[in-house]
Amino acid sequence: MSDQKGRARDFGVCFQGAPGPFNAVTDVPGIKIGHHQLVAGEDVRTGVTAIVIDAPDAASGVPAALFSFNGTGEMTGSHLIEEIGVLFGPVLTTGTLNVGAARDGALQWARRHVTDADRRFSRILPVVAETFDGRLHDAWGLHLKPEHALAALEAARGGAVEEGAVGGGTGMIAFGFKGGIGTASRLVRFGEGTFSVGVLAQCNYGRREELTICGVPVGRLIADLKPEGIDAGDTPESASLIVIVATDAPLDAVGLKRLARRAALGMGRTGVTGDAGSGDIFLAISTAHRVTLGGETLNAMAVVPPLSLDPFSEATVQAVEEALINALFAGETMRGQNGALVYGLPRERAAQLIASGGR
Amino acid sequence: MSDQKGRARDFGVCFQGAPGPFNAVTDVPGIKIGHHQLVAGEDVRTGVTAIVIDAPDAASGVPAALFSFNGTGEMTGSHLIEEIGVLFGPVLTTGTLNVGAARDGALQWARRHVTDADRRFSRILPVVAETFDGRLHDAWGLHLKPEHALAALEAARGGAVEEGAVGGGTGMIAFGFKGGIGTASRLVRFGEGTFSVGVLAQCNYGRREELTICGVPVGRLIADLKPEGIDAGDTPESASLIVIVATDAPLDAVGLKRLARRAALGMGRTGVTGDAGSGDIFLAISTAHRVTLGGETLNAMAVVPPLSLDPFSEATVQAVEEALINALFAGETMRGQNGALVYGLPRERAAQLIASGGR
Amino acid sequence: MSDQKGRARDFGVCFQGAPGPFNAVTDVPGIKIGHHQLVAGEDVRTGVTAIVIDAPDAASGVPAALFSFNGTGEMTGSHLIEEIGVLFGPVLTTGTLNVGAARDGALQWARRHVTDADRRFSRILPVVAETFDGRLHDAWGLHLKPEHALAALEAARGGAVEEGAVGGGTGMIAFGFKGGIGTASRLVRFGEGTFSVGVLAQCNYGRREELTICGVPVGRLIADLKPEGIDAGDTPESASLIVIVATDAPLDAVGLKRLARRAALGMGRTGVTGDAGSGDIFLAISTAHRVTLGGETLNAMAVVPPLSLDPFSEATVQAVEEALINALFAGETMRGQNGALVYGLPRERAAQLIASGGR
Amino acid sequence: MSDQKGRARDFGVCFQGAPGPFNAVTDVPGIKIGHHQLVAGEDVRTGVTAIVIDAPDAASGVPAALFSFNGTGEMTGSHLIEEIGVLFGPVLTTGTLNVGAARDGALQWARRHVTDADRRFSRILPVVAETFDGRLHDAWGLHLKPEHALAALEAARGGAVEEGAVGGGTGMIAFGFKGGIGTASRLVRFGEGTFSVGVLAQCNYGRREELTICGVPVGRLIADLKPEGIDAGDTPESASLIVIVATDAPLDAVGLKRLARRAALGMGRTGVTGDAGSGDIFLAISTAHRVTLGGETLNAMAVVPPLSLDPFSEATVQAVEEALINALFAGETMRGQNGALVYGLPRERAAQLIASGGR
């Protein structure tokens, strides 16, 4: 527990590919992240994270697609994304029982920032995704209010992204360790340009014995430090994983759906086999194009050819993998409601196991 | 305006097929409907409708599937239904901006009624669908609160179902006439038994010139009685149609998805061509089986063979068509915010047009 | 039976919307149609129809999407279209048991015409759709060979399109009348331009009692002229409907999927409720863009905004409806294997029923 | 090259989970496998593999579902499986250009074995999946004929399954080594019973540098033994992976779709990131229920509850991983058309790398 803080790379964990300057989703130009958390007393451990697409015309959308690897979870606004391949406005991630409040906060934010009256979908069908924080947190207390979501949205900024028990990740658990927010990015050279693929993940998934890092079965090798005081009725279905993949590469909804599907391979690299109750839902967006909702002016796009997707697929798998591991490395031991105790990943110990190949 | 009240059949409109005793979704055993509406002053015209599956063990689910004909709308809880083919708990329909509040109301209801601790999805991923009532109603005032959704849920009962400007249908507009809630049912003989297919629809869709009833272009023939005082910025994308198809026929999620898709043909019979901004989302459920979420006891089912679906498909198309027309026949002229005025369908006049084949 | 030949419009049947010069899928620039049929003795009644996208670079693809309203049928090549939103090469429609031979014919054609070596999907994953002609035709005799598909492909041309018992439609039955190929088109004004939406359908679907034309229940009113000598074991699942919607409007795969879904509403206008065994699969393509499969040159597109789809949706529904009715009007009484007899729609009689509103 | 033959386990490669007696898909009762290959001269290297569901009533179907991880490939018959959640008749895997011939062979087999006249889908919509063998093999020579598919079907039997360059796997390449057929199985205890999950894969996928076995980057460590004489125009899109997951666990189509999706995690364990041109299509079936297509007798099922899927998911991921590695271990160096040469995985060397953790 005396581990120094640091991200997985700081502990020598080797990942494939070249990250961007912040190794964060914010390496994608125009992507801003805001966290707001409520941590109080013994039983309030929740929050909300906002992904804001910064644009002069916030009402316009960007190409988007999603993939539900295991849909035992919620991402509101999915029908609109599936139908027109466009995301309007921000994305919020939070605890499951906060979805209604976060959605209302997004409405307020949209009303404040979206001025183009006839582009209504940008205002009234907010995207809110969730994982369940009701093990450490008094979820049924409904502590999170719309103003907290509004605060996360207004706090969104670029640069380094705080990870771990912040924002929507505050009360999360992953692999029986403290989970939460993780992020990473990759640079991709394509044609004459360099693009970024960035990932933000809210991690509340995974069983200890499955945890694999860089091919090493770390979870089986750290059999201690199990959660304490968690209700016996708490079954694996309490788990979930939300992943947002953002890129400035010129992809349309068809290409982004393919990237979203590949996020599952990044998740798989952490050892899981797809828990039946883990709501694993992945969203991919591109900031390379602005899409106007209506009118007679065509939306111009220039799109990566379908068989040239590979560098972006690699970047997605790699960045997802690292973001998920980063969430674990950012975890600090937390106590919560009813005496619940979840340990943070012992970073040094994990790093040594990884370095030694588990020997 | 001096039209007597009555449903479409009372005015001699001929539909195909044999309805159940109430010609309502409540003809399906175990289906209960509750409405709660807020109508106050000039600008509050909203509400919420609850579809409750009455069961001794409310935590258990029923087979379910959905079809998004045009997903520019919202139905929360969809990911779970798509993933496991099961619906837990009630369904709420309301105005778009009320979704968060209604969802919170559903959480409260679930907490009150669902006692089996480990069946969490029945409690925390509520299904709330919406259509936009912000033309007659001050939607941004967020007047609907969780307790109103709770009231609709607690009010749910069998028997005749009130139609028109009630519950979630309160502020809705369809084909430039007053829209709202409509319902209908069909009896289906299959094998040795008789089954019911019931439909509940929240109608906020359709352009006047497209309105077709029993093959007659009624909308083109009633060119007057257009809405007044509706914001010019109000474009067709304000429209949406939510349909719930319920049956006690033994169908699983695979068969129910097929029925949900066929609801589109019922919608099509009213003349529409699928407005780009109309969130037309259809949910189908069967009350014939109870599905347990976990454990090692298998869920027993007996299912209609895949090529024997036709009588249920016919019933679905017919009941959807009639429910949508019933919503129109139940419409009464309504005034709302900012002087908005929407006429109810002139029933006698429409009936005469239909009877004469539009001549 | 002494009816003069003619299309539905020639008999005064009124449809909505403005057709293009040929009222055919070939009104879409670049779309060519070729038929090849085998009619011999008493029992050979089959054929194949080719939809060729005429382009200087036949290896390049066009945006495409499909919707399976009821997937009890076959359209090979669907996985590729779904994955990358692009159609390469031609589309063939034929009898169910001919799919393998037609596919091999398409391979031969592709080898002859596609010279760009590395664009392999354009050559090796042909799109062949089918409906079952085994009632009039000795389907199990496997009379159709790859060279017949090749002949249809080489015969493809623009201009007027022959309808009825030609090409893939040769042995088809619809609503208990002679079915087959039908086509229609609509002109759409959008922005400064005029675009075409064209439909080609292979009709082998529908039960007599459901047949509706322009809102009139023609099928119930023509209870005679039922098929004779058709095997009693022939059940509705022998039916199917293939629709290809082509347009030169600038739509991408996301928009085209929406059009493909709306084809179901056009089908619905003919009165059907979605037979459980009718393989109703719809494909939509746009010739406005060429999509290159690989390389680093981006594919440039300019796309109709998502909420501006309505005129194209209307055109699709209308053109599908008319194409399906045209297939019926083109039907001539046919005798086939084992004494089977299927009557052509009595055109004058049907037209009079429609004109009189069924009175 | 002097490696002794043997499966991965024989070389000490450690996998998770407990395999069945044959560690093959045939451990699932009722599943039989038949191979037929054509290897002649320098340029014929192709074949076909048949998965036959042995049943007294071959016309009846079994629950089935598919997941297309990357649909740049073909699996005919997919629409029917997606629509009704049932597979009728056998599955064939072969080379891409053989699909038509294999389909015709399946028709002949069905005609011979399916006697129930009215269950037509079992006869006329065969399931044929493919990967491209045109690098070692003269694919455009169309050497495979329907009778070869028929031979594979008639040869189907239980017991040990031959792997590697047999049947449909004959000319395949994986990770730049000789690919082909691989199989594996897992035993799953659930409730009072023990069930099998078996996998058959046709492997023609993967780039050398990505190959990972049990977490060890074997592909980066064996940089030699690259294919020789393969056309420079041969790009990664020539790759593909077909996986069939079979189980006797009582799952319906909804559960099987979830298993099919989890096959992607098994694929991911071999290191790939989802090549844009690799047609990775996965089919899952359960032999626990027989499904009748029509009639009024309900299909009885008893299904694993949705949140109890985990042991089957684990088994699927593990068996897919092992089947894919088995295909590599079964590979023998092969020469083919135009001097092409593909090496078999050097088994001893690979095994030592794996054992040492890549050090």
Side-chain angles (χ1 to χ4, degrees), chain C residues 26-116:
Chain C
T26 45
D27 288 325
V28 180
I31 300 292
K32 296 180 171 178
I33 300 298
H35 296 305
H36 190 85
Q37 49 276 343
L38 304 178
V39 179
E42 290 194 344
D43 58 357
V44 178
R45 304 281 185 275
T46 196
V48 56
T49 291
I51 300 98
V52 174
I53 305 161
D54 186 35
D57 177 6
S60 291
V62 293
L66 58 88
F67 173 57
S68 173
F69 180 79
N70 194 58
T72 56
E74 179 67 276
M75 181 182 282
T76 70
S78 289
H79 282 291
L80 181 61
I81 295 170
E82 289 277 53
E83 179 66 33
I84 62 172
V86 185
L87 170 74
F88 291 98
V91 176
L92 296 172
T93 65
T94 187
T96 310
L97 298 190
N98 303 333
V99 167
R103 194 180 185 282
D104 284 350
L107 288 178
Q108 292 180 21
W109 182 88
R111 202 177 195 195
R112 184 182 296 181
H113 291 277
V114 180
T115 54
D116 188 339

Side-chain angles (χ1 to χ4, degrees), chain B residues 243-319:
Chain B
V243 171
I244 292 96
V245 179
T247 184
D248 59 347
L251 293 167
D252 61 2
V254 173
L256 291 165
K257 185 171 269 293
R258 302 175 81 190
L259 284 198
R261 219 148 48 212
R262 279 148 181 82
L265 300 186
M267 177 186 75
R269 289 189 171 190
T270 66
V272 297
T273 56
D275 284 353
S278 184
D280 304 329
I281 306 179
F282 313 141
L283 175 67
I285 63 173
S286 166
T287 62
H289 306 111
R290 289 276 137 187
V291 181
T292 298
L293 195 49
E296 297 195 332
T297 303
L298 300 182
N299 286 314
M301 294 200 193
V303 182
V304 173
L307 286 199
S308 303
L309 195 71
D310 287 353
F312 304 101
S313 299
E314 284 180 7
T316 298
V317 176
Q318 293 168 358

Side-chain angles (χ1 to χ4, degrees), chain D residues 166-184:
Chain D
V166 291
T170 300
M172 302 302 165
I173 302 174
F175 298 100
F177 290 119
K178 186 69 191 70
I181 299 293
T183 190

Side-chain angles (χ1 to χ4, degrees), chain D residues 101-233:
Chain D
R103 193 180 186 282
D104 284 351
L107 289 178
Q108 292 180 19
W109 182 87
R111 200 174 197 196
R112 185 182 294 180
H113 291 277
V114 180
T115 54
D116 187 338
D118 72 348
R119 291 175 188 171
R120 73 177 188 98
F121 293 129
S122 58
R123 296 188 296 165
I124 64 175
L125 295 174
V127 177
V128 183
E130 55 70 45
T131 64
F132 186 67
D133 54 14
R135 292 174 285 185
L136 285 163
H137 168 63
D138 170 30
W140 283 96
L142 303 178
H143 300 277
L144 194 108
K145 306 298 177 193
E147 57 261 35
H148 302 129
L150 197 55
L153 285 158
E154 298 292 5
R157 58 181 50 83
V161 173
E162 208 177 346
E163 297 176 306
V166 291
T170 300
M172 302 302 165
I173 302 174
F175 298 100
F177 290 119
K178 186 69 191 70
I181 299 293
T183 190
S185 72
R186 289 295 181 275
L187 299 178
V188 177
R189 292 201 55 83
F190 182 80
E192 302 296 303
T194 299
F195 300 97
S196 299
V197 172
V199 166
L200 187 91
Q202 182 170 302
C203 300
N204 194 47
Y205 79 114
R207 280 176 278 145
R208 175 68 61 84
E209 66 272 21
E210 293 184 328
L211 175 60
T212 302
I213 304 179
C214 300
V216 177
V218 171
R220 287 200 299 260
L221 299 167
I222 309 182
D224 55 329
L225 303 178
K226 290 290 179 63
E228 299 168 16
I230 302 280
D231 181 1

